[in-house]
Amino acid sequence: MYRRTILAACLSFSQWISAATYALPEDGSNLVGTIHYHSIVAGETMSDIAKHYDVGFLSLMAANKGVDPFLPPEDYVLTIPSQTILPEVEYKGIVINLAELRLYYFEPEKDIVHIFPVGIGRIGQDTPEMTTKISQLRKNPTWTPPTSIRKDYLEKGIELPDVVPAGPENPLGDYAMRLAYGTGSYLIHGTNKDFGIGLRVSAGCIRMDPKDIDWLFNEAKVGLQVRVIDEPIKVALEPDRSVFIEAHEPLTRSDGTKKAMSIPQELEWWLEEYGISDRIAKAAVLAQNGVPVEVVPAMEDLE
């Protein structure tokens, strides 16, 4: 399966479809998308390429460790992290995996998933894990800067108004979806800035690219379930008995700690049962490159 995926990616990388929309696998698989490649053109930056493929900036860097993000070498072939293992959750509503900086929207009654890169809370203003719902949809929202943000701006010599009106100066962009968590201070929103997608830059809200939030806002309804998780390691046991693991760098939290990174116990037991080395799985966990890595090739006849 993995070899077929790579071959398809090599043949199709120049014909990219920007929307990361996939039919949910019907055969028990939880692997979607294909790995794509991009040959760098003179003058391109990693930020340009991330926007073109609608993937997160940090995700692109993780998949291409050691490449200068501002001056990548011309003709160097980048790996585009356009294949992913679906999180082990109910395929319902919106699911945000903080460790991936990705948002999954499972379209109701269509067995389709849409995947978007997102920005999340910076260290010290972490986006919390939660299971909640959308409580409000606001087009052209105003922004009331919280005390913490007002203080940050004052330290830079900028005094914010009590309320920032809708428009090009509003950091929420054109759309905001309020979450019914806590006091309702967390939003999924757009942005008026040309950066921050796929980065830890917000004050705790989930930030989306303007074109992505434009689409999602018009699909979402008040009451839609939203689940925020933090799972840096995902595993796929495919119908042909191939096994994939996807590892992301764990988030540094406000207290300076990170989630421990190790092969999931269930995978360890499975490998031990069939006498398969865990060497590749351990290497993938250490690499944390954010793309599915084949740990075990297809074994149709495995008993």
Side-chain angles (χ1 to χ4, degrees):
M1 176 185 293
Y2 186 65
R3 294 181 183 87
R4 292 197 297 272
T5 297
I6 293 298
L7 177 59
C10 289
L11 293 174
S12 65
F13 78 91
S14 63
Q15 300 175 353
W16 176 256
I17 299 174
S18 61
T21 298
Y22 309 104
L24 293 177
E26 297 179 351
D27 56 1
S29 169
N30 60 341
L31 191 66
V32 296
T34 56
I35 295 293
H36 289 76
Y37 298 94
H38 178 91
S39 182
I40 296 170
V41 176
E44 284 185 319
T45 67
M46 297 275 270
S47 177
D48 298 329
I49 296 163
K51 288 176 186 175
H52 176 72
Y53 290 96
D54 203 17
V55 298
F57 181 70
L58 289 182
S59 296
L60 185 61
M61 289 184 62
N64 298 277
K65 295 183 187 296
V67 179
D68 188 322
F70 303 106
L71 293 171
E74 186 177 352
D75 295 328
Y76 185 90
V77 178
L78 292 176
T79 297
I80 306 300
S82 48
Q83 183 182 48
T84 188
I85 297 171
L86 295 174
E88 193 173 345
V89 295
E90 181 183 13
Y91 294 166
K92 178 181 178 181
I94 291 172
V95 176
I96 298 160
N97 190 354
L98 299 173
E100 296 181 69
L101 290 98
R102 282 191 185 121
L103 181 151
Y104 298 82
Y105 172 58
F106 296 94
E107 193 166 350
E109 301 177 4
K110 289 191 177 180
D111 292 330
I112 290 174
V113 61
H114 306 269
I115 306 175
F116 306 100
V118 294
I120 63 172
R122 56 186 175 270
I123 299 173
Q125 294 183 303
D126 305 324
T127 303
E129 296 179 65
M130 65 180 89
T131 298
T132 185
K133 62 184 179 181
I134 293 175
S135 62
Q136 184 185 45
L137 295 168
R138 296 181 61 192
K139 186 175 181 178
N140 299 320
T142 59
W143 178 50
T144 303
T147 302
S148 59
I149 298 296
R150 194 178 299 279
K151 181 180 177 181
D152 288 345
Y153 272 79
L154 280 174
E155 290 175 355
K156 301 173 186 176
I158 302 171
E159 185 173 356
L160 292 173
D162 293 337
V163 177
V164 178
E169 300 303 316
N170 191 313
L172 301 184
D174 295 330
Y175 302 95
M177 303 188 289
R178 189 175 301 280
L179 303 182
Y181 174 84
T183 61
S185 59
Y186 291 99
L187 307 170
I188 301 173
H189 64 78
T191 179
N192 66 339
K193 295 181 171 59
D194 197 32
F195 68 93
I197 308 304
L199 295 170
R200 297 193 66 182
V201 293
S202 80
C205 290
I206 294 97
R207 182 182 297 181
M208 297 185 70
D209 184 273
K211 70 178 184 306
D212 292 342
I213 188 71
D214 185 351
W215 184 89
L216 185 60
F217 182 91
N218 288 288
E219 290 289 320
K221 308 292 183 187
V222 170
L224 181 70
Q225 178 177 291
V226 177
R227 186 171 179 188
V228 182
I229 62 175
D230 180 17
E231 297 298 335
I233 296 179
K234 299 180 294 178
V235 174
L237 176 58
E238 295 298 285
D240 62 3
R241 303 296 184 92
S242 60
V243 180
F244 292 79
I245 190 167
E246 179 181 327
H248 298 261
E249 182 178 356
L251 300 179
T252 301
R253 310 305 293 186
S254 299
D255 60 4
T257 62
K258 294 184 178 183
K259 282 198 171 184
M261 295 290 284
S262 60
I263 301 173
Q265 187 65 67
E266 293 82 357
L267 178 56
E268 283 276 19
W269 288 335
W270 192 91
L271 294 173
E272 288 176 6
E273 180 178 353
Y274 292 103
I276 300 170
S277 170
D278 62 3
R279 178 177 56 84
I280 297 176
K282 285 182 176 178
V285 170
L286 287 173
Q288 298 172 13
N289 66 357
V291 297
V293 174
E294 189 177 48
V295 175
V296 180
M299 295 186 293
E300 298 277 7
D301 58 347
L302 182 64
E303 296 294 341

